[in-house]
Amino acid sequence: MTYDYKKSQQLFERAQKSIPGGVNSPVRAFKSVGGTPVFMERAKGAYMYDADGNKYIDYINSWGPMILGHAYEPVVKAITEKVAGSTSLGAPTELEIEMAELIKSMAPNVDMVRMVSSGTEACMSAIRLARGYTGRNKFIKFEGCYHGHADAFLVKAGSGLATFNIQTVPGVTAGVSMDTLTAPYNDLHAVEELVKENNGAIAAIIIEPVAGNMGCILPAPGFLEGLRAICDREKIVLIFDEVMTGFRLAAGGAQERLKVNADLVTYGKVIGGGMPVGAFGGKQEIMQHIAPLGNVYQAGTLSGNPIAMIAGYTMLKTLKDDPSIYKDLDEKTAYLHKGLDEVLKTANTPYVINKLGSMISVHFSEKPVIDFSSAASANNTLFNQFFHVMLKEGVYLPPSAYETWFVSTALSKEDIDKTVEISGRFFK
Ligand code: KE4
């Protein structure tokens, strides 16, 4: 069965007249995989439906938020009931307290939390806070990690920058990027070298504890623990960017799953149940420097917005109250992993499958994919071909080898069997 994309093609032509690249976020543009981005109309559970009426099994899940599937009833109901009371108040509300208390009850090491409206805002605020708290300017990020599009992060970043091979971003000044230090993921020695060269000048180390923006890449045993030890020794703030892993790998995210404590944690995606929500939180001693308590200024018109809060609260409460959800996510992802492994090992192409919890990615590489350079040296042209075969057969994978796939509880074993069966046909 191959799909007809006529309506998507028409919409894409029209969109490009008014929106740069025809999309409101570059990764959606199919630029690296080629072809016309599919314009979606609606989604329910594990399925998305495009403007031509084609149906897809969804492994993007809005890049993470749709962990319980699309249009999850309790979230839809909560939003519908709340919206009549105004879509924004711009004043403190009890619901924001309840949201903060719920996050604190789920996330380890979070004494205080500030709501924002995106993962980018969460990460840029966390870096500003770490700088304000330590009085230091520099920070370390890892090649291939993506922390949103704030200037200081657009140095050797992952996600769309890796996809489009954007090494330096016009508009990001040398003055900003000079304080951004980078090291390869999983390379503790490189971090030690940077700390030595910049003695006493590093405010923070920010990391995706499980990387999801160069495909899914796991921390090597001891890597995160090593970063923790360096930060303790050097009084550097360790920031876990859990925009992807937060509330996904476990109720307590990567801190709980991997048993390593951060000083500050950033959240996004799942935390908003699909509405624009981000957050950053951590130890009281650090968070108390945030305005209006302290002088590290951070603000947002729609921060703590009632519709976003009720969506996020309903989502997080569901995840907290039913721990079997994480078992289900892990089992479904393991089932997908096993199926893909069975078909790929009969193919005559090298591959690795990286997986943790409900994050998974396939890399056509003969060597382990442990950092950006190994992800970049995989056969990503083959991935692009694989992507289109899957798409035409109704399986919607992230349109880039530099993205992780996300599994939702809404996926059935039949959906996974179909995914594996089509993969098998491609590799026969
Ligand atoms: P947002 O500003 O897009 O909400 O979050 C930025 C961000 C921060 N940290 C991590 C670990 C992230 O993965 C992201 C955003 N992820 C991308 C997908 N790789 C969002 C998709 C997009 O850019 O459209």
Side-chain angles (χ1 to χ4, degrees), residues 155-270:
V155 177
K156 296 186 183 174
S159 186
L161 292 104
T163 299
F164 306 137
N165 192 21
I166 299 175
Q167 294 308 316
T168 48
V169 176
V172 176
T173 63
V176 166
S177 45
M178 66 189 271
D179 287 327
T180 304
L181 308 172
T182 60
Y185 201 82
N186 280 320
D187 187 340
L188 217 43
H189 176 69
V191 174
E192 286 287 10
E193 287 302 297
L194 285 174
V195 168
K196 218 181 290 166
E197 288 155 21
N198 299 274
N199 185 25
I202 298 174
I205 294 176
I206 185 168
I207 188 163
E208 294 178 53
V210 173
N213 287 291
M214 31 183 166
C216 175
I217 292 188
L218 278 56
F223 177 57
L224 295 177
E225 295 79 358
L227 294 180
R228 179 68 272 167
I230 291 171
C231 288
D232 290 342
R233 188 187 75 215
E234 303 289 339
K235 304 273 178 285
I236 292 171
V237 175
L238 180 57
I239 303 172
F240 274 8
D241 174 354
E242 292 223 45
V243 168
M244 269 190 183
T245 56
F247 312 108
R248 174 171 281 280
L249 294 185
Q255 287 191 98
E256 176 186 322
R257 182 118 193 197
L258 303 174
K259 298 181 177 39
V260 178
N261 293 340
D263 300 313
L264 290 177
V265 202
T266 62
Y267 295 112
K269 298 179 190 283
V270 169

Side-chain angles (χ1 to χ4, degrees), residues 1-5 50 54-56 391-394 418:
M1 167 182 63
T2 52
Y3 280 15
D4 164 351
Y5 296 111
D50 73 11
N54 302 311
K55 176 181 175 184
Y56 301 88
L391 185 74
K392 283 188 172 50
E393 296 287 347
K418 177 179 174 187

Side-chain angles (χ1 to χ4, degrees), residues 24-28 62-63 117-121 123 145-149 158-160 208 210 212-213 241-245 266 268-269 277 402-404 406:
N24 279 312
S25 201
V27 280
R28 305 175 190 171
S62 178
W63 305 92
S117 300
S118 71
T120 295
E121 265 195 277
C123 293
C145 283
Y146 178 72
H147 305 292
H149 65 91
S159 186
E208 294 178 53
V210 173
N213 287 291
D241 174 354
E242 292 223 45
V243 168
M244 269 190 183
T245 56
T266 62
K269 298 179 190 283
V277 179
Y402 294 108
E403 296 289 351
T404 183
F406 292 109

Side-chain angles (χ1 to χ4, degrees), residues 109-140:
N109 300 301
V110 172
D111 302 331
M112 302 193 97
V113 60
R114 168 61 60 88
M115 304 312 296
V116 294
S117 300
S118 71
T120 295
E121 265 195 277
C123 293
M124 68 186 236
S125 306
I127 288 290
R128 182 183 310 141
L129 172 57
R131 286 171 162 162
Y133 170 67
T134 60
R136 303 173 184 174
N137 296 340
K138 295 184 183 297
F139 74 93
I140 295 173

Side-chain angles (χ1 to χ4, degrees), residues 124-422:
M124 68 186 236
S125 306
I127 288 290
R128 182 183 310 141
L129 172 57
R131 286 171 162 162
Y133 170 67
T134 60
R136 303 173 184 174
N137 296 340
K138 295 184 183 297
F139 74 93
I140 295 173
K141 73 173 287 290
F142 294 86
E143 290 159 27
C145 283
Y146 178 72
H147 305 292
H149 65 91
D151 284 4
F153 296 133
L154 296 181
V155 177
K156 296 186 183 174
S159 186
L161 292 104
T163 299
F164 306 137
N165 192 21
I166 299 175
Q167 294 308 316
T168 48
V169 176
V172 176
T173 63
V176 166
S177 45
M178 66 189 271
D179 287 327
T180 304
L181 308 172
T182 60
Y185 201 82
N186 280 320
D187 187 340
L188 217 43
H189 176 69
V191 174
E192 286 287 10
E193 287 302 297
L194 285 174
V195 168
K196 218 181 290 166
E197 288 155 21
N198 299 274
N199 185 25
I202 298 174
I205 294 176
I206 185 168
I207 188 163
E208 294 178 53
V210 173
N213 287 291
M214 31 183 166
C216 175
I217 292 188
L218 278 56
F223 177 57
L224 295 177
E225 295 79 358
L227 294 180
R228 179 68 272 167
I230 291 171
C231 288
D232 290 342
R233 188 187 75 215
E234 303 289 339
K235 304 273 178 285
I236 292 171
V237 175
L238 180 57
I239 303 172
F240 274 8
D241 174 354
E242 292 223 45
V243 168
M244 269 190 183
T245 56
F247 312 108
R248 174 171 281 280
L249 294 185
Q255 287 191 98
E256 176 186 322
R257 182 118 193 197
L258 303 174
K259 298 181 177 39
V260 178
N261 293 340
D263 300 313
L264 290 177
V265 202
T266 62
Y267 295 112
K269 298 179 190 283
V270 169
I271 196 175
M275 296 301 287
V277 179
F280 61 100
K283 295 174 173 158
Q284 163 100 22
E285 181 206 336
I286 304 175
M287 288 299 290
Q288 64 190 12
H289 290 262
I290 281 287
L293 199 51
N295 293 334
V296 177
Y297 198 71
Q298 183 279 327
T301 302
L302 299 175
S303 299
N305 165 282
I307 311 307
M309 289 297 99
I310 200 65
Y313 185 88
T314 308
M315 175 74 89
L316 295 191
K317 196 80 175 55
T318 305
L319 294 169
K320 177 181 179 180
D321 292 350
D322 181 2
S324 73
I325 286 173
Y326 292 105
K327 188 165 167 289
D328 182 36
L329 287 167
D330 285 10
E331 284 170 358
K332 283 177 175 166
T333 313
Y335 185 66
L336 174 64
H337 182 188
K338 183 168 170 288
L340 290 171
D341 197 36
E342 271 159 21
V343 295
L344 280 165
K345 69 176 149 213
T346 61
N348 61 353
T349 179
Y351 69 95
V352 290
I353 301 174
N354 288 349
K355 169 184 71 74
L356 186 68
S358 53
M359 295 170 69
I360 183 170
S361 60
V362 176
H363 302 265
F364 300 117
S365 165
E366 64 269 330
K367 59 185 183 185
V369 175
I370 58 158
D371 57 14
F372 179 68
S373 67
S374 45
S377 56
N379 182 347
N380 295 328
T381 307
L382 181 59
F383 175 85
N384 295 346
Q385 293 158 5
F386 175 54
F387 167 82
H388 277 291
V389 166
M390 299 299 276
L391 185 74
K392 283 188 172 50
E393 296 287 347
V395 178
Y396 192 54
L397 301 178
S400 165
Y402 294 108
E403 296 289 351
T404 183
W405 308 7
F406 292 109
V407 168
S408 78
T409 53
L411 270 173
S412 67
K413 281 186 80 169
E414 293 68 35
D415 296 324
I416 297 170
D417 289 340
K418 177 179 174 187
T419 306
V420 170
E421 191 257 326
I422 297 163

Side-chain angles (χ1 to χ4, degrees), residues 14-27:
R14 191 174 134 212
Q16 291 177 84
K17 295 190 176 72
S18 313
I19 307 168
V23 292
N24 279 312
S25 201
V27 280

